[in-house]
Amino acid sequence: MSAAVAITYDIPKRQHPVMQFVVQQPLGAAGLVIIVAMVFAGVFAKYVAPYDPLQLDYGSMLSPPSQEHLLGTDAYGRDVLSRIIYGARTALLVGFLSSLLGSTVGAVLGVCSAYFGGRVDMIIQRLMDIILAFPIIVLALAVVAVLGSFVVAGLDLNLILAIAIPMVPKVARVVRSSALVICEMPYIDAARVAGYSNVRIMFRHIIPNVAAPYIIMFTAFVAQAILLEASLSFLGLGVSEPTAAWGLMLAGSSAEFYREAPWMIIFPGLAISLAVFAFNLFGDSLRDWLDPKIKV
């Protein structure tokens, strides 16, 4: 009688999604590290910044980078490093909130346009065409100029709205194209025959299936929102003094002190570039990772 032979199979362990992303998208992981560092600096700015960003020191005006002030001081003696750290909080708050608002409104409009079709689709798409006809910065400038400033808890809500509006049509069109495919699926027809309401069908069956393009667009638009906030602040239509903001730091130093104190321009500019670069890296990598047609 022959002895039974046990056959075992080595089942590979499933890798954690975060580790999968790090391994498959190293550039995106590098961008994520920068984003996490920015978030940490913004949240714990009170403990990370060496000085109060509003503290005036007229005896240290226009001091070059030194051991006492690592990135120098501005025309009022305020520490540039501290203002850059606190400026990360402003940039991330405005960037995330405006991107969240614009992406969410655009996603809802895109799903409604694809699901209802007909006249609803035509009206929504023509409205999106009108918004797309304006350059982003011009539209944002117009909204800020018309609405003015409405500050709540130190945050300008009209500025967030002005940055969010130009994002809506792009998200709406991308989400609509994905939702059109889903609306043709048999389970959508089955849900209609079963008597489910339109709201339930959209929120339970369509919106979860367009989450991937929504997340990708949201991440990509954070970088655009940070750049728009800096541009509007530079032009005097965004965040106002004495709030620490990268665009304001450039506006207060570009004309008068670009030769005498170049560090006042270089370091805020590097902060803006690094933030935009990090979010673009992460957004592009996230798109490649979530898209099954691209992901290997």
Side-chain angles (χ1 to χ4, degrees):
M1 185 175 176
S2 60
V5 179
I7 302 176
T8 59
Y9 297 93
D10 292 332
I11 300 177
K13 294 182 179 180
R14 188 173 182 179
Q15 203 173 28
H16 193 275
V18 175
M19 292 305 300
Q20 286 182 357
F21 180 79
V22 171
V23 172
Q24 297 178 10
Q25 304 291 339
L27 290 178
L32 182 60
V33 169
I34 299 174
I35 293 170
V36 171
M38 285 179 56
V39 172
F40 179 84
V43 172
F44 299 102
K46 183 178 179 181
Y47 306 99
V48 175
Y51 297 92
D52 184 343
L54 305 181
Q55 179 182 351
L56 304 179
D57 184 3
Y58 294 109
S60 301
M61 292 189 304
L62 302 178
S63 296
S66 62
Q67 188 174 359
E68 185 178 0
H69 298 282
L70 295 179
L71 301 184
T73 62
D74 63 8
Y76 300 98
R78 297 175 297 190
D79 184 65
V80 172
L81 176 59
S82 299
R83 290 185 64 78
I84 287 177
I85 292 174
Y86 274 87
R89 176 185 295 181
T90 303
L92 290 174
L93 270 175
V94 175
F96 275 110
L97 291 178
S98 57
S99 183
L100 179 64
L101 177 61
S103 300
T104 302
V105 173
V108 171
L109 290 176
V111 170
C112 292
S113 181
Y115 181 77
F116 292 107
R119 182 173 296 178
V120 174
D121 184 27
M122 183 188 67
I123 293 173
I124 292 176
Q125 292 309 307
R126 297 298 76 77
L127 179 61
M128 297 301 102
D129 289 340
I130 293 173
I131 298 176
L132 283 172
F134 296 92
I136 294 176
I137 186 65
V138 173
L139 183 59
L141 282 170
V143 173
V144 170
V146 170
L147 297 181
S149 180
F150 181 62
V151 180
V152 176
L155 202 61
D156 192 342
L157 300 184
N158 285 342
L159 175 63
I160 293 174
L161 181 62
I163 297 174
I165 289 176
M167 302 178 183
V168 172
K170 295 182 179 180
V171 179
R173 289 198 164 184
V174 172
V175 171
R176 175 180 176 272
S177 64
S178 300
L180 283 173
V181 177
I182 297 168
C183 288
E184 300 298 325
M185 294 295 178
Y187 61 82
I188 300 297
D189 295 331
R192 285 172 174 162
V193 172
Y196 292 154
S197 65
N198 293 330
V199 174
R200 178 171 179 175
I201 293 174
M202 285 190 291
F203 277 89
R204 186 167 182 176
H205 299 290
I206 299 178
I207 290 180
N209 288 293
V210 298
Y214 168 81
I215 293 172
I216 293 168
M217 296 292 285
F218 165 75
T219 307
F221 278 134
V222 174
Q224 184 175 327
I226 291 174
L227 194 58
L228 269 176
E229 182 273 323
S231 301
L232 292 173
S233 297
F234 179 83
L235 295 173
L237 295 173
V239 180
S240 58
E241 289 282 5
T243 305
W246 296 337
L248 274 180
M249 296 176 70
L250 289 175
S253 58
S254 60
E256 301 177 14
F257 306 106
Y258 69 97
R259 289 184 179 177
E260 185 179 356
W263 56 86
M264 293 174 59
I265 302 173
I266 293 173
F267 295 118
L270 285 176
I272 297 172
S273 301
L274 187 62
V276 173
F277 180 66
F279 276 103
N280 283 335
L281 270 183
F282 179 64
D284 290 344
S285 299
L286 190 64
R287 178 200 60 199
D288 297 343
W289 190 62
L290 291 176
D291 193 338
K293 297 179 181 179
I294 300 176
K295 186 174 62 175
V296 178

